[in-house]
Amino acid sequence: MSSEMQEMIDQAEKDLLHTYNRYQIVLDHGDGVYLYDTDGKKYLDFMAGIAVFAFGYNCKEYNDALKDQIDKVIHTSNYFYNEPAIKAAHMLRKVSGMDRVFFTNSGAEAVEGALKAAMKYGYLGDGRTDHEIIAMNHSFHGRTYGALSVTGNEHYREPFGQMCCNVKFADLNCFDSVEALVTDRTSAIIMEVVQGEGGLFCASEEFLRKCRELCDRKDILLIFDEVQCGMGRTGHMYAWQKFGIKPDIMTTAKALGCGAPVGAFLMTEKVAQNSLVAGDHGTTYGGNPLACAAVAKVLEMFERIDIVGHVNEIAPYLESKLDGLVNKYVCITGRRGRGLMQGLVFDRPVGQIIKTAMDNGLILINAGSDIIRFVPPLIITKADVDAMIAILEPAIAMQ
Ligand SMILES: *Cc1c(COP(=O)(O)O)cnc(C)c1O
């Protein structure tokens, strides 16, 4: 590392709050599936800013769309309409099959909105204010209080006192554990269709179907958090679409803006008519013209390039290569995930493997301490997969 980069890192460590153990790299720019640090070192990126950069970096068409919007207006507030938001909302409705959209600035905020909508729905139903929400163990929904309340990781919640909402945790793919928690106060069940941070566990079709039927029977709202598994990553625009089991409320973010900070929660007309009304929810930046210009461009490119089709073409290749590693190395106990959202499960912490890969020019991310997660740009090619394996495998073999 150059002394210049070391100085920048030292400065950052003095100024920034220590909430991350960052890799000792200052990134400078990106191009396609590659990132470059300030020393000019090149990295193949299989992390994509945590499942964000669907088209890779420095995509001209995307950059131009944002630049054009910057020269018009980047913020207006929600006291007015703006054209990019109108366009983006309409396109998002179309690809999601949901009826109403609320734009947020992040995934966590999308979850907050989804929870508020569910609580209001319950409140309008029976006038009570003590409704309960069922969430899943190993889930991750974000770091704000509402999102944290439904996050199935005790370590994340414990230091922060009283959580909001009354939340109970069930096991993904164990319908009995969900049903056992239902009371007459249950207003919603929230889950990721494919869990991201929690370890790449996929909700089974049977589990989703039974939860859907339970919700229909008991007038409970089903919320799917598609912040990470949505936007084409699993080979469907939204992961639930694989089974056609539709939620009442859905969240999306991460790749929605492909780098522009934006998220959204969406709902069916039935929920919209029976939950949030004017004055119930708001945001200063959410749905601003710059973020929505990004969303509109991203969704337009998704359709034109058929990025979902590409994911379905390339994902089996990645899976077969990862399975090859599973078969070859006893320290790897399995592979989980769907599409371009994969995890290799190890019998030991993966920090050193990731560090070695990074030193050799490959960026990866973990999910928990024992899983290497693969959430590359959706545009990767077979050659990129080969290049990734060529760096990863020696790092595993060194263990
Ligand atoms: C990342 C993530 C969030 C939180 O999104 P932020 O933009 O970091 O607030 C919520 N849910 C899931 C499933 C996520 O992966």
Side-chain angles (χ1 to χ4, degrees), residues 175 178 189 191 207-215 222:
F175 177 71
V178 176
I189 300 174
M191 69 183 78
F207 179 73
L208 293 172
R209 195 171 301 287
K210 283 184 170 172
C211 287
R212 179 68 272 174
E213 286 164 6
L214 173 72
C215 288
L222 186 58

Side-chain angles (χ1 to χ4, degrees), residues 62-78:
Y62 171 89
N63 290 359
D64 286 346
L66 265 70
K67 287 175 191 169
D68 287 349
Q69 190 59 46
I70 285 173
D71 290 336
K72 287 184 179 171
V73 63
I74 65 171
H75 180 71
T76 58
S77 91
N78 282 306

Side-chain angles (χ1 to χ4, degrees), residues 106-108 111 140-142 192 197 225 227-228 254:
S106 67
V111 172
F140 180 84
H141 297 291
E192 300 153 84
E197 311 293 315
D225 181 349
V227 168
Q228 188 159 163
K254 288 197 165 89

Side-chain angles (χ1 to χ4, degrees), residues 366-388:
N366 63 309
S369 60
D370 299 348
I371 301 172
I372 297 179
R373 184 170 19 153
F374 302 83
V375 284
L378 301 183
I379 51 150
I380 56 158
T381 62
K382 287 183 180 177
D384 296 326
V385 174
D386 292 341
M388 181 276 288

Side-chain angles (χ1 to χ4, degrees), residues 41-356:
K41 182 174 169 182
K42 181 179 176 179
Y43 302 86
L44 175 60
D45 181 22
F46 264 61
M47 174 173 169
I50 319 183
V52 166
F53 285 90
F55 303 113
Y57 300 96
N58 199 23
C59 172
K60 183 167 182 341
E61 190 181 343
Y62 171 89
N63 290 359
D64 286 346
L66 265 70
K67 287 175 191 169
D68 287 349
Q69 190 59 46
I70 285 173
D71 290 336
K72 287 184 179 171
V73 63
I74 65 171
H75 180 71
T76 58
S77 91
N78 282 306
Y79 283 94
F80 304 93
Y81 300 96
N82 74 75
E83 212 177 327
I86 293 167
K87 226 168 121 183
H90 194 68
M91 294 167 94
L92 194 50
R93 270 189 64 188
K94 205 173 117 195
V95 295
S96 67
M98 305 298 286
D99 298 321
R100 300 258 171 194
V101 182
F102 184 104
F103 286 113
T104 66
N105 308 288
S106 67
E109 277 173 85
V111 172
E112 297 293 324
L115 294 175
K116 276 182 74 176
M119 293 301 282
K120 181 79 189 289
Y121 181 90
Y123 173 76
L124 291 178
D126 61 13
R128 297 177 70 143
T129 53
D130 57 351
H131 288 101
E132 299 166 351
I133 290 173
I134 297 173
M136 299 300 139
N137 288 314
H138 300 294
S139 64
F140 180 84
H141 297 291
R143 301 297 199 150
T144 53
Y145 262 104
L148 190 59
S149 300
V150 290
T151 288
N153 180 334
E154 232 172 290
H155 299 295
Y156 288 178
R157 297 194 311 265
E158 195 193 74
F160 300 104
Q162 187 74 47
M163 291 289 116
C164 47
C165 310
N166 202 341
V167 182
K168 294 169 173 175
F169 291 92
D171 291 324
L172 192 77
N173 293 338
C174 177
F175 177 71
D176 290 347
S177 75
V178 176
E179 201 173 28
L181 296 179
V182 171
T183 72
D184 61 348
R185 281 161 297 145
T186 308
S187 65
I189 300 174
I190 181 168
M191 69 183 78
E192 300 153 84
V193 177
V194 179
Q195 292 186 338
E197 311 293 315
L200 288 304
F201 292 101
C202 302
S204 71
E205 179 173 7
E206 188 195 357
F207 179 73
L208 293 172
R209 195 171 301 287
K210 283 184 170 172
C211 287
R212 179 68 272 174
E213 286 164 6
L214 173 72
C215 288
D216 289 341
R217 213 162 51 237
K218 304 259 187 187
D219 196 20
I220 295 168
L221 298 179
L222 186 58
I223 306 173
F224 288 159
D225 181 349
E226 292 260 358
V227 168
Q228 188 159 163
C229 61
M231 292 301 290
R233 184 148 295 277
T234 67
H236 288 80
M237 196 60 193
Y238 287 101
W240 63 263
Q241 292 169 341
K242 177 177 169 75
F243 308 118
I245 299 165
K246 191 177 167 178
D248 301 292
I249 304 176
M250 188 194 98
T251 60
T252 179
K254 288 197 165 89
L256 178 65
C258 282
V262 59
F265 64 97
L266 296 91
M267 56 184 73
T268 61
E269 191 63 27
K270 179 189 91 170
V271 180
Q273 292 305 328
N274 296 286
S275 62
L276 303 175
V277 296
D280 276 342
H281 198 55
T283 162
T284 299
Y285 275 141
N288 88 21
L290 184 61
C292 287
V295 174
K297 176 49 78 175
V298 165
L299 292 176
E300 187 234 300
M301 287 176 70
F302 257 76
E303 186 173 348
R304 178 160 40 80
I305 299 171
D306 185 20
I307 202 103
V308 173
H310 178 74
V311 170
N312 284 313
E313 233 178 83
I314 197 77
Y317 188 73
L318 174 64
E319 286 177 8
S320 71
K321 289 289 169 179
L322 295 178
D323 285 342
L325 296 178
V326 175
N327 293 332
K328 194 159 165 191
Y329 295 94
V330 287
C331 63
I332 309 176
T333 58
R335 173 183 67 77
R336 280 202 295 265
R338 183 177 301 153
L340 291 182
M341 185 172 177
Q342 297 285 338
L344 277 185
V345 187
F346 286 71
D347 64 2
R348 63 195 68 185
V350 294
Q352 188 53 49
I353 299 174
I354 291 178
K355 168 79 171 54
T356 306

